[in-house]
Amino acid sequence: MRRPLQYLALVAYMVFLAFPLVWLLSTALKTSQEMASLTPTWIPRHPVLTNFADAFTEQDIVGSALRSLVVAVATSALTIVLALPAAYAMARYRSLVNRLAVGWVLVSQVFPFILIIIPLFMVLRSLDLVNTLPGLMIVHVTFVLPFALWMLQGYVRAVPRELEEAAAVDGAGRVRAIVRVVAPLLAPGVVATALFAFISSWNEFLFALVVLKDPGVATLPLTLVKFTGAEGVVRLGPLAAASLLATIPSLVFFAIIQRRLRSGLMAGAVKG
Amino acid sequence: MTLTAERTHRPAAGHRGGGRGGGWQRRETLMLMLPALVPVLVFSVGPLLYGIFLAFTDARSGRNAVTSFVGLSNFGDLLADGDFWASFRIGLVWAVSVTVLQFLASLGLALLLNENLRFRSFARVLALVPWAMPPVVIGLMWRLVYHPNAGILNSVLQDAGLLDHNVDWLNDFSLALPAVIVVGIWTGMPQTTVVLLAGLQNVPKELHEAGHMDGASTFRRFWSITLPQLRPVIVTITSLDFVWNINQFGLVYVLTQGGPGGQTRLPMLFAYEEAFRYGFFGYAATLGVAFVIVVLALLSIYIGRQMREAN
């Protein structure tokens, strides 16, 4: 008797989780005539891909996607370059910074964004970085860094120190030991962290909203939000198509790193 | 995602190898740390401190606006501001309902995923999708679901005979907040489910076997074995969920922009408008500071009570 009830509950959960996604896909495949009809159906009567083509030509979706890409790639590269040496030091030497970094990750959760974003906006304004992509990039790097640092130092810790020392004893020299022995073992962790930084930046909306006022430099989330104007239901098809396309990079990268993110979450929350 | 930060007390192995002196090592550590430290200090710790200072000033958005220290007068204005209290009430209703419902829904899902059911791995993957999606896309997607004419929700409810006319969910004075709360639950379920599932998998099997031998019912075992074992995990994730929810901005901004008539204007939307629409930087910062105090107070009451009950 229990099993059937459990399956019923599981199906209910899956319906709740999946139906908005199915609806998004369905809307993306509908013609504008069908969107205007008064009886929406789950399955498009005449599925078309024109909305995806429209999404590319309208509203500067391509331009803003490129800007998002530039910011996200620069953010992940810069995050790794800045965080890797610090993560190495955190993992190998005892220092006060470890605790400070952890403390900062927690503190930054509790403090509402408004307390940081107003002064940060003033700082960027005085540096003439408002309405520029480097301005947004700086903000993204700053806010990804603490967590990236934490992820990376975990990966460094997982590389046995003895390996590094053995290579050094064999006459490889310390720097070469790190490059030859530690780096290859660390590579998967670095990739995971870089992808995490990419997703965070690619998805980010709030800071972009404040830093990029000029529509000419808008990133993808900003352009998507402005997409729905007064034109009504006719435009919903291309909007749905563009939304789907905007989700693909995050979804793919997330699929790659989800195991690592999950184990990180578990390690922290459970063994606390 | 920052739950990992809980692991603070892992003793870092202090390594002093190769006969190097402590001073040399300290300098090397500092050199390695500096590139990461500088941006965090300049672009987030510094601004945060300056933001707290702004709460006691009449700072305006203009580039050359003259700022002067006004002491606690912003706090007085805040307490007398009816719009703020309305927004504060909405924020509490939102954060408490989303956190509680999200927890119950996620606990149910985690319990199911912990059973040996078919399609379990598919369900696990599906349960993670909202985590990966850009919040803006989640908001837009649900706007399509709630759309008065082209949305699927009205159509489904009418087919089921539960509605006889199209409802404009996100523009209805009494329905907008519940509608937004449902989206909040959907969005936050993955993290909560993953953490609870990990917690469940760490409950020692022997305890359940012992309970089984003593003839305890399934519910009884859940209530007196699983839940107490899970308590630290539950306290951690619900506290974090509450903080994340009360500071929510993007999702609701995309869904309703705080409308209709301010019915979904969460405190952070209120603060954003004060700062970047009306230009009252000082006042918005005051709201931020007041919020930190309220959230910390609520959290310490909650965590304190849970810890007392656990003992």
Side-chain angles (χ1 to χ4, degrees):
Chain A
M1 191 51 218
R2 259 179 77 204
R3 275 286 130 115
L5 281 180
Q6 287 180 337
Y7 276 110
L8 197 67
L10 191 65
V11 168
Y13 271 110
M14 278 154 81
V15 168
F16 176 62
L17 286 168
F19 91 91
L21 301 167
V22 174
W23 186 242
L24 182 65
L25 182 65
S26 163
T27 308
L29 295 174
K30 281 176 180 165
T31 61
S32 51
Q33 289 93 323
E34 188 172 351
M35 285 309 299
S37 92
L38 290 175
T39 49
T41 53
W42 280 105
I43 298 164
R45 280 185 280 264
H46 310 286
V48 287
L49 290 175
T50 47
N51 289 325
F52 289 90
D54 287 350
F56 276 111
T57 52
E58 279 182 70
Q59 294 275 343
D60 196 24
I61 290 285
V62 175
S64 40
L66 281 177
R67 284 187 289 273
S68 277
L69 187 69
V70 168
V71 174
V73 168
T75 296
S76 41
L78 209 61
T79 300
I80 296 296
V81 169
L82 295 177
L84 203 49
Y88 183 82
M90 272 174 82
R92 289 290 190 249
Y93 310 120
R94 184 209 309 271
S95 86
L96 182 66
V97 184
N98 286 21
R99 290 191 172 191
L100 287 180
V102 172
W104 179 246
V105 169
L106 286 179
V107 164
S108 60
Q109 299 297 307
V110 179
F111 278 85
F113 78 90
I114 197 82
L115 269 184
I116 292 182
I117 198 126
I118 295 174
L120 191 56
F121 177 78
M122 294 161 93
V123 170
L124 291 177
R125 192 172 57 184
S126 65
L127 296 173
D128 267 326
L129 285 172
V130 172
N131 278 326
T132 68
L133 297 185
L136 184 62
M137 204 187 66
I138 289 175
V139 178
H140 284 177
V141 169
T142 311
F143 284 88
V144 173
L145 254 180
F147 192 71
L149 208 54
W150 190 252
M151 270 176 93
L152 276 176
Q153 66 94 25
Y155 299 129
V156 176
R157 241 173 242 270
V159 176
R161 179 199 297 279
E162 290 72 28
L163 271 180
E164 198 182 319
E165 278 164 1
V169 168
D170 290 347
R174 186 133 169 284
V175 175
R176 261 188 71 193
I178 291 177
V179 171
R180 298 286 287 277
V181 178
V182 182
L185 291 170
L186 213 54
V190 171
V191 171
T193 312
L195 292 182
F196 167 76
F198 183 97
I199 297 174
S200 307
S201 169
W202 178 267
N203 288 357
E204 203 280 325
F205 169 66
L206 172 59
F207 291 122
L209 181 69
V210 173
V211 175
L212 306 177
K213 293 276 173 212
D214 173 9
V217 289
T219 51
L220 194 51
L222 294 176
T223 307
L224 284 177
V225 168
K226 289 201 191 91
F227 204 114
T228 44
E231 288 99 325
V233 292
V234 182
R235 303 289 306 282
L236 293 181
L239 174 67
S243 300
L244 275 176
L245 293 175
T247 308
I248 291 173
S250 305
L251 217 52
V252 170
F253 289 165
F254 189 85
I256 299 173
I257 64 168
Q258 52 101 3
R259 213 172 282 275
R260 284 167 183 279
L261 273 182
R262 261 184 5 208
S263 58
L265 258 175
M266 288 174 201
V270 181
K271 290 170 198 145
Chain B
M1 264 175 279
T2 36
L3 278 176
T4 25
E6 286 294 293
R7 201 167 56 189
T8 44
H9 296 300
R10 165 103 73 102
H15 180 65
R16 308 198 181 263
R20 272 182 260 122
W24 193 91
Q25 186 194 304
R26 215 169 303 145
R27 210 164 59 222
E28 192 192 50
T29 309
L30 192 67
M31 291 297 288
L32 290 169
M33 295 270 184
L34 218 53
L37 229 48
V38 169
V40 171
L41 287 176
V42 174
F43 293 107
S44 69
V45 178
L48 179 66
L49 296 176
Y50 189 54
I52 294 171
F53 166 75
L54 282 179
F56 303 93
T57 70
D58 60 355
R60 304 286 303 265
S61 68
R63 208 183 242 272
N64 299 316
V66 181
T67 300
S68 52
F69 191 77
V70 294
L72 290 171
S73 88
N74 281 340
F75 287 89
D77 292 347
L78 195 68
L79 292 178
D81 187 342
D83 286 343
F84 163 70
W85 285 109
S87 164
F88 184 66
R89 192 188 59 81
I90 291 166
L92 274 186
V93 171
W94 151 270
V96 171
S97 16
V98 173
T99 306
V100 169
L101 296 172
Q102 201 168 60
F103 165 68
L104 294 175
S106 303
L107 183 61
L109 182 57
L111 285 169
L112 285 172
L113 293 179
N114 200 32
E115 295 282 323
N116 198 10
L117 298 175
R118 245 174 246 247
F119 311 118
R120 189 177 59 165
S121 44
F122 174 71
R124 278 190 186 183
V125 173
L126 186 62
L128 284 177
V129 170
W131 192 357
M133 289 175 79
V136 164
V137 170
I138 295 179
L140 293 171
M141 178 178 76
W142 279 89
R143 258 167 60 181
L144 294 175
V145 169
Y146 284 135
H147 198 283
N149 304 315
I152 193 66
L153 188 62
N154 277 330
S155 159
V156 165
L157 291 179
Q158 282 179 16
D159 287 348
L162 294 170
L163 267 187
D164 54 5
H165 62 284
N166 279 346
V167 173
D168 195 351
W169 298 92
L170 295 174
N171 280 312
D172 186 289
F173 262 66
S174 50
L175 291 175
L177 187 57
V180 171
I181 286 172
V182 170
V183 184
I185 296 167
W186 190 90
T187 310
M189 264 180 68
Q191 288 97 321
T192 314
T193 307
V194 164
V195 170
L196 290 173
L197 184 57
L200 283 175
Q201 286 166 345
N202 268 32
V203 175
K205 288 231 171 10
E206 299 77 40
L207 286 179
H208 270 275
E209 280 156 16
H212 210 75
M213 301 248 272
D214 292 345
S217 67
T218 310
F219 177 75
R220 178 83 214 170
R221 270 179 287 150
F222 171 73
W223 194 255
S224 11
I225 297 173
T226 312
L227 268 190
Q229 286 282 320
L230 220 52
R231 173 168 256 164
V233 180
I234 293 175
V235 174
T236 308
I237 190 64
T238 45
S239 308
L240 271 171
D241 276 340
F242 180 78
V243 173
W244 287 334
N245 286 326
I246 199 127
N247 288 334
Q248 175 60 260
F249 174 86
L251 192 65
V252 178
Y253 181 88
V254 174
L255 279 167
T256 62
Q257 299 230 343
Q263 289 302 304
T264 58
R265 193 193 285 140
L266 302 186
M268 286 311 124
L269 274 90
F270 179 80
Y272 172 82
E273 284 180 6
E274 290 294 327
F276 292 101
R277 183 189 270 182
Y278 307 118
F280 296 119
F281 279 3
Y283 191 57
T286 308
L287 188 139
V289 170
F291 240 71
V292 175
I293 296 167
V294 170
V295 167
L296 287 180
L298 288 176
L299 277 186
S300 57
I301 292 170
Y302 171 66
I303 295 174
R305 233 187 77 189
Q306 290 298 319
M307 272 161 57
R308 261 203 309 283
E309 276 177 34
N311 292 333

